[in-house]
Amino acid sequence: MHTKISTNSMKMFALAAGMMLATNVNAHLMFGALGAMAQTTDTLTVRIKGMRCEECAHKVKTVVKRLPGIDGITFNIERRTATVAYNPAETCADSIKARLEATGRYKASAYSANDTIIRGMGLRIADMHCMKCYNRISQKLQPMAGIDSMAPHLDKGYIFVRYDANRISKADIRKTIGSLGFTPVNYYSGPKVDYAYFNIPAEAVSQATIDEVLILDGVEDANVNDRQKSLAVTFFTDETNAEKLQADIKAAGINIVLPPVHECEEKK
């Protein structure tokens, strides 16, 4: 006996088949998503003895990236720490530490946010002319969390600051000094380092000016200040000199002039 299948029955059959297919597809996607979620990423932050600069950090990154399962590495040079993101299914914290230990130079140790990490830095401040100027800086910085001690060296125009890099950064200190109307740049005691200080137009007081100066021959550091309309530069004398530096800055389109001799009221 032959049974006729109605059009409605065929439509219902097709609909049911489609729903079953959709259910299978959704189940596949769901289980795939759960599988992806299962691939978690752990992080390890360690202090690294011997890592003092960007070049050191690059070497550490190269060594660690040779391990399987490393997803990324970030560094804090001031704290001398590295934070490694890794897949725990492929590697572990002990393997990462052992890899660093094997270099013989970059050894990992435990890091805690409660650690005290004392660092020191010298800042040349050409527009700090007297003890009154220094006192303004000291009164602003000393109460800040992380400042350990400060010492002025007015004869050489710089201050030395000891600070806890786990509480405050060099950039924060520079920014605070800049807010008082000073123009700090890195200070070094070596014989092949010198400093320059200029007045610039208000429109040139910008990060773009700093970036332009930093790429010039021999320039190690540069900073500007909007209150003083100033540009301060640290440069290496075996790579450039004051006259060439001025010419290079002007060639970069920055209009600089030497400031008048400052007459400090404290010395009158």
Side-chain angles (χ1 to χ4, degrees), residues 72-178:
I73 310 175
T74 58
F75 298 96
N76 185 308
I77 302 300
E78 281 185 86
R79 295 175 185 168
R80 294 174 194 157
T81 60
T83 298
V84 184
Y86 64 95
N87 184 343
E90 299 183 55
T91 191
C92 65
D94 287 342
S95 294
I96 295 169
K97 294 176 184 177
R99 172 70 74 172
L100 290 168
E101 187 77 20
T103 66
R105 179 175 180 180
Y106 303 113
K107 297 183 179 181
S109 60
Y111 166 79
S112 168
N114 296 320
D115 289 346
T116 297
I117 305 176
I118 296 297
R119 298 286 179 256
M121 67 171 173
L123 290 172
R124 163 81 175 194
I125 309 175
D127 32 28
M128 179 186 70
H129 304 289
C130 60
M131 199 64 189
K132 183 177 180 180
C133 294
Y134 168 74
N135 287 338
R136 287 180 58 215
I137 296 171
S138 177
Q139 288 166 11
K140 186 73 172 181
L141 283 182
Q142 288 282 15
M144 296 177 68
I147 298 298
D148 179 74
S149 62
M150 297 174 56
H153 298 266
L154 297 178
D155 56 329
K156 296 181 179 178
Y158 82 97
I159 64 173
F160 187 81
V161 183
R162 278 171 50 91
Y163 65 100
D164 181 355
N166 230 5
R167 307 288 180 273
I168 193 170
S169 69
K170 181 177 181 178
D172 292 333
I173 295 170
R174 285 174 60 130
K175 184 177 180 180
T176 299
I177 295 173

Side-chain angles (χ1 to χ4, degrees), residues 170-229:
K170 181 177 181 178
D172 292 333
I173 295 170
R174 285 174 60 130
K175 184 177 180 180
T176 299
I177 295 173
S179 71
L180 297 173
F182 298 102
T183 323
V185 288
N186 293 336
Y187 173 83
Y188 303 99
S189 58
K192 295 184 179 180
V193 181
D194 207 348
Y195 310 90
Y197 182 87
F198 310 101
N199 287 134
I200 56 177
E203 61 271 16
V205 180
S206 66
Q207 184 61 46
T209 291
I210 295 174
D211 293 341
E212 286 285 348
V213 175
L214 283 174
I215 63 175
L216 298 177
D217 291 343
V219 172
E220 191 277 335
D221 191 22
N223 199 6
V224 297
N225 187 273
D226 58 348
R227 286 172 58 177
Q228 296 290 346
K229 306 297 184 292

Side-chain angles (χ1 to χ4, degrees), residues 41-61:
T41 297
D42 285 353
T43 58
L44 169 70
T45 299
V46 291
R47 296 173 67 171
I48 301 181
K49 183 178 181 180
M51 186 181 73
R52 298 176 177 272
C53 62
E54 294 293 341
E55 184 178 351
C56 293
H58 178 73
K59 292 178 180 177
V60 168
K61 183 176 182 179

